[in-house]
Amino acid sequence: MSEFQSDVSSYETTSSNLPAPIDVELSSQGNIFVDWNQLARPANVRHCIIHYRSLNNNQSHTIRVSRKKQNSYLRKTQPGHLYEVHVCAVDSSDRIIAASQCAQIQTRGENEGPRLRVTEATPDYVWLEWKKSDEVHLTDIKMYKLVINGETKVILPSEETRYVVSDGNVGEKYVFQIEMLRKDGKIASSVPIHVTWPGVTIPKTQAICHACKELMISWGDSTSINNGNIESYTLHLYDSKGELLTKVGPNSPECREVWIKDVDKGVYTYILEIKLANSNKSVYSKPTRVECGSDSRLPILTYEYSDSMEKKELTDLAHHLISARDNTKSKTLIDRCEHQLQQILSLLNRYTEKVRINLKIQSNSTEHVLQTYRLIIDGVELDKSIPGTVKQYPLELARRDEPYKLAVSVTPALYGTQSKPISVEASGYLTFFCTHFDQHKSSAGCAYLDTLPCEQQLRRPIHQGLLKVTQAMETIDLYDLRANKTVQVPSFRKERRLTILFFYLNTCVPARHQLTYFADYASHNRGKYIYTSIHYIEKENDKPLHEALSLEGVPMYFVLDFAGRIVWRGRICAQEQVEYNVHMDHILAEVNTIQCPSPDCELCRYCSLTDADLKEDLTEIELKHNLLLQQFFRTRPTKSAGAKENRRQRVVSLKDSTKTMISTQYH
Ligand SMILES: [Zn+2]
Ligand SMILES: [Zn+2]
Ligand SMILES: [Zn+2]
């Protein structure tokens, strides 16, 4: 039986059969028991899937069971929540063959607290309703207190059963709780409900000035937040003094670009307004400046990565393996994960030795047929000339940590000599953690491919997560740059807040990346925790900090409890800020022993991943890796010829000898 969270709507419906009835009841232990013996199960049915969703926090779960099973208990239910349950029979491609009716059932509360739920959430308001528990008489209740994000919002009389909150901000997270104050002085609270205020995300916008006097402004797709939808887009264009010049719209929700003609030369500011459906609210993009009418006859350079598809796939597979390994206890599976990780990273490394891009040269000049271009890389002009008719130019850049600066020169130079330079990121390799202190003795960079062998030499796993027994934290003296004084960590303060320690090194690539993520997270969750980022500087005569704290690398995280003891230690493997925030929320929820606030949290999925699931995943990843490997040699015939030559004549450098030794243990 495997259990994981899922998006219920992702199962395609192919059947319009009448839903079969379903029985749900509470067992004497308070567990939900589901019986679906009346559900039709034709021969093509592979599994039965039980879907259940808490109407309190909208979190859905699915349990996949064998087709023959007729009933089951639901795990992972929360006390005092109202659940909606239905069962589907699906075929081998998860198409629904038959579905049961939806039944509702409420689990028993832990105390006499009222049962709170969200009955409706729109961008304009969140409608809350509650019911007193049956054990409490109405006459015993003095009043209710609505608490939002830990602060009292309003006091309500005992007869009240609903409240509408209308002052939320789109995309922000709210925790609602209703407290019942009894006449005898007792207080009982409802279970907290997590709601992300409905709306949509704000897309990236882009403005291009075309042929001197046309302005094209385009934007990407928005993502729906908690079922929010878009009614229309309106573009507001302002002149340099901030005066509104024109309003283009409202345009349909499908609209993604706006052309504005006859624009005079000058500097403009634009704002994209996104009007939300079923709402009076709009969300707005940040004001963005655009220059029109200058330099427009020079070519404009843009670029895209040529093998980004494979790179993305390999990167995703590697991230999957890393998270799976850090969350499984089975030694054999850890070894298998690491073996496959090594393979994936090696292939990814070959894909990123040279970063291949497709340079696009966009010229607005009508004379471009007569022109020739020359490529300028980091300020150095190449000899080879490119005809003015070329619009796309494939280019290979050697991998390096510092971005490249690319531009083209134009001959004859009628309107200027050089296009605006663009910056191309070509660091290529995958990294999220680095055993930097040792790694840089044997390797030039922070690639995880080099970290992995170092990590495997260690006796203790680097990622430990929640510690079974809290661990004393060595007291360290830190120099606080901003306050210009020495501080001690852990510090003992009166306030009861957890401390998050983030260890980093300025010279380490993954540590530098995560410093920006950490700072962003801290600025959006101010006041909840004490955040300390610790930059490690080696001092003579002192015991190095990483030895004192037995840190094997950076970036590394400790969470300290109120007493300054380590309760969590480990690392975070996230590809971008949003994912990082979800991971951090998950970790802190784990430490606080509360429910993870993100409905589709990846780490929650890894926590409930069984060994059998992981084995299946590993087989699938192996297949994908082999396909990508074949593809790699197909698309790079010259490379494989080169490899054959190398077999005949092998050149070995002593500098690489350590690496060669380590890689032999895999083959
Ligand atoms: Zn279903
Ligand atoms: Zn490093
Ligand atoms: Zn989670």
Side-chain angles (χ1 to χ4, degrees):
M1 199 198 282
S2 68
E3 187 168 19
F4 49 91
Q5 295 176 343
S6 86
D7 177 8
V8 179
S9 59
S10 68
Y11 291 93
E12 214 182 303
T13 315
T14 57
S15 145
S16 56
N17 289 347
L18 266 183
I22 176 179
D23 277 332
V24 288
E25 55 191 64
L26 277 188
S27 74
S28 50
Q29 284 88 35
N31 295 318
I32 298 177
F33 178 77
V34 192
D35 189 317
W36 60 92
N37 67 66
Q38 299 194 54
L39 184 70
R41 267 157 285 177
N44 57 339
V45 167
R46 264 303 156 79
H47 292 112
C48 288
I49 294 180
I50 313 165
H51 292 300
Y52 58 109
R53 183 167 70 96
S54 157
L55 296 179
N56 291 81
N57 62 8
N58 257 323
Q59 199 152 32
S60 340
H61 299 266
T62 61
I63 306 181
R64 192 178 282 262
V65 295
S66 101
R67 64 184 296 262
K68 291 197 191 109
K69 223 169 145 76
Q70 309 214 334
N71 53 55
S72 175
Y73 285 99
L74 303 185
R75 290 180 286 154
K76 286 196 171 176
T77 54
Q78 306 276 330
H81 280 217
L82 182 64
Y83 283 93
E84 198 175 74
V85 187
H86 77 267
V87 181
C88 300
V90 298
D91 69 6
S92 53
S93 20
D94 273 346
R95 268 189 303 251
I96 294 173
I97 307 299
S100 79
Q101 285 171 351
C102 255
Q104 286 194 357
I105 186 163
Q106 181 150 33
T107 52
R108 262 176 233 137
E110 270 168 335
N111 56 24
E112 304 181 322
R115 316 277 178 255
L116 176 66
R117 66 190 183 108
V118 170
T119 47
E120 205 184 343
T122 75
D124 293 344
Y125 57 82
V126 168
W127 190 289
L128 299 167
E129 272 187 31
W130 58 92
K131 244 168 81 181
K132 65 169 186 60
S133 119
D134 293 339
E135 295 99 79
V136 180
H137 291 284
L138 189 60
T139 47
D140 295 339
I141 304 172
K142 193 174 163 202
M143 60 189 179
Y144 288 114
K145 201 160 96 179
L146 176 64
V147 179
I148 304 181
N149 292 349
E151 276 166 34
T152 305
K153 167 90 177 169
V154 64
I155 305 283
L156 298 156
S158 58
E159 315 82 54
E160 202 57 80
T161 57
R162 61 179 71 167
Y163 189 81
V164 179
V165 185
S166 55
D167 53 354
N169 295 324
V170 168
E172 263 178 42
K173 288 178 189 153
Y174 294 89
V175 181
F176 299 109
Q177 205 163 12
I178 194 105
E179 277 181 11
M180 178 190 69
L181 281 71
R182 287 172 43 149
K183 285 179 181 154
D184 59 12
K186 278 193 205 152
I187 298 173
S189 294
S190 71
V191 282
I193 300 187
H194 297 260
V195 176
T196 308
W197 201 274
V200 295
T201 59
I202 295 158
K204 273 212 175 109
T205 61
Q206 194 189 20
I208 291 174
C209 176
H210 195 258
C212 280
K213 50 183 183 175
E214 287 180 3
L215 195 57
M216 188 200 78
I217 297 163
S218 61
W219 55 93
D221 294 339
S222 291
T223 314
S224 165
I225 303 169
N226 199 0
N227 300 321
N229 273 313
I230 295 166
E231 186 177 294
S232 65
Y233 291 103
T234 306
L235 190 95
H236 303 255
L237 188 71
Y238 301 87
D239 67 11
S240 57
K241 293 184 202 86
E243 216 120 328
L244 182 69
L245 285 176
T246 181
K247 225 163 91 173
V248 188
N251 302 293
S252 77
E254 290 78 39
C255 179
R256 288 292 177 277
E257 75 179 45
V258 160
W259 280 80
I260 304 167
K261 300 200 169 186
D262 306 314
V263 180
D264 292 336
K265 184 174 169 170
V267 177
Y268 300 89
T269 303
Y270 66 89
I271 295 174
L272 181 68
E273 175 186 356
I274 307 167
K275 170 91 172 52
L276 298 168
N278 310 317
S279 161
N280 298 317
K281 274 191 190 170
S282 289
V283 288
Y284 299 88
S285 73
K286 281 209 186 93
T288 311
R289 269 164 52 101
V290 54
E291 213 179 318
C292 203
S294 64
D295 278 1
S296 63
R297 296 210 162 192
L298 279 169
I300 297 165
L301 299 187
T302 51
Y303 73 97
E304 55 189 25
Y305 294 103
S306 308
D307 46 15
S308 57
M309 278 284 284
E310 292 85 352
K311 230 181 93 177
K312 178 91 180 65
E313 200 173 344
L314 285 165
T315 308
D316 286 347
L317 290 177
H319 275 259
H320 181 50
L321 285 169
I322 290 164
S323 300
R325 177 204 54 188
D326 280 351
N327 286 290
T328 181
K329 298 272 174 298
S330 152
K331 181 81 182 84
T332 36
L333 284 175
I334 290 175
D335 288 347
R336 251 186 93 182
C337 281
E338 290 193 332
H339 172 74
Q340 285 187 231
L341 192 53
Q342 183 83 24
Q343 289 182 328
I344 299 269
L345 290 173
S346 306
L347 181 56
L348 184 63
N349 192 45
R350 303 172 88 150
Y351 264 112
T352 55
E353 256 165 33
K354 290 265 165 59
V355 175
R356 303 204 300 176
I357 64 162
N358 197 8
L359 190 67
K360 290 184 180 168
I361 308 169
Q362 234 187 323
S363 175
N364 302 318
S365 160
T366 44
E367 297 93 352
H368 63 79
V369 187
L370 307 168
Q371 294 174 338
T372 51
Y373 304 129
R374 271 205 177 84
L375 197 61
I376 303 169
I377 301 180
D378 294 330
V380 180
E381 196 174 39
L382 305 189
D383 286 338
K384 199 182 160 201
S385 64
I386 307 166
T389 45
V390 167
K391 298 238 171 289
Q392 302 207 5
Y393 191 71
L395 196 63
E396 275 196 350
L397 300 166
R399 173 173 58 209
R400 69 173 202 203
D401 285 2
E402 197 193 322
Y404 285 91
K405 281 255 176 305
L406 299 185
V408 291
S409 66
V410 186
T411 0
L414 288 177
Y415 309 102
T417 50
Q418 274 186 25
S419 72
K420 258 196 191 146
I422 53 166
S423 169
V424 178
E425 177 74 47
S427 69
Y429 56 69
L430 182 142
T431 174
F432 74 102
F433 176 82
C434 171
T435 51
H436 204 89
F437 317 109
D438 294 325
Q439 191 162 335
H440 281 244
K441 289 172 195 154
S442 59
S443 143
C446 303
Y448 193 62
L449 182 63
D450 296 328
T451 310
L452 191 59
C454 299
E455 230 173 72
Q456 287 165 331
Q457 311 295 318
L458 302 171
R459 231 174 287 132
R460 194 186 53 182
I462 287 171
H463 181 88
Q464 290 178 287
L466 209 56
L467 302 180
K468 281 202 188 92
V469 183
T470 61
Q471 200 183 314
M473 165 85 190
E474 190 99 2
T475 305
I476 49 173
D477 286 326
L478 295 175
Y479 184 68
D480 187 333
L481 277 174
R482 260 170 300 179
N484 191 24
K485 62 172 187 193
T486 307
V487 292
Q488 257 188 5
V489 170
S491 66
F492 296 95
R493 313 187 196 200
K494 274 190 220 102
E495 51 204 316
R496 291 173 67 77
R497 280 193 288 170
L498 297 172
T499 303
I500 309 167
L501 301 183
F502 168 71
F503 297 94
Y504 73 104
L505 264 176
N506 248 340
T507 46
C508 182
V509 176
R512 233 163 34 211
H513 283 169
Q514 291 201 5
L515 178 64
T516 59
Y517 295 162
F518 182 72
D520 186 276
Y521 185 87
S523 71
H524 284 94
N525 294 275
R526 229 172 274 159
K528 282 199 216 163
Y529 305 100
I530 300 160
Y531 305 89
T532 311
S533 52
I534 299 171
H535 183 232
Y536 163 75
I537 306 163
E538 207 159 2
K539 272 187 274 171
E540 271 180 57
N541 307 327
D542 266 3
K543 190 179 179 189
L545 181 70
H546 70 274
E547 278 177 24
L549 297 172
S550 40
L551 293 180
E552 291 87 359
V554 282
M556 191 72 189
Y557 300 81
F558 286 5
V559 182
L560 308 183
D561 65 8
F562 308 139
R565 294 176 68 84
I566 306 168
V567 282
W568 192 98
R569 66 178 283 161
R571 49 190 180 178
I572 295 180
C573 177
Q575 300 190 52
E576 34 76 37
Q577 183 78 53
V578 178
E579 195 186 344
Y580 182 90
N581 296 348
V582 170
H583 284 206
M584 194 58 114
D585 283 345
H586 174 96
I587 290 163
L588 294 167
E590 213 182 351
V591 171
N592 286 314
T593 56
I594 55 167
Q595 200 190 354
C596 177
S598 322
D600 27 46
C601 166
E602 217 184 34
L603 287 182
C604 281
R605 249 193 319 267
Y606 284 113
C607 293
S608 60
L609 195 70
T610 64
D611 285 359
D613 289 338
L614 183 53
K615 265 185 211 153
E616 242 174 71
D617 280 6
L618 287 172
T619 314
E620 209 171 289
I621 292 171
E622 181 94 63
L623 280 173
K624 279 189 190 155
H625 166 257
N626 289 343
L627 281 176
L628 284 163
L629 193 68
Q630 283 167 17
Q631 197 171 323
F632 178 81
F633 286 118
R634 255 206 316 276
T635 52
R636 280 174 174 69
T638 47
K639 267 275 160 56
S640 61
K644 265 183 208 130
E645 267 170 44
N646 282 348
R647 236 172 264 162
R648 255 181 278 138
Q649 185 196 34
R650 187 124 178 258
V651 183
V652 182
S653 150
L654 279 181
K655 203 180 150 213
D656 292 335
S657 58
T658 41
K659 266 194 252 172
T660 321
M661 268 170 59
I662 289 159
S663 63
T664 48
Q665 78 189 54
Y666 295 99
H667 297 287

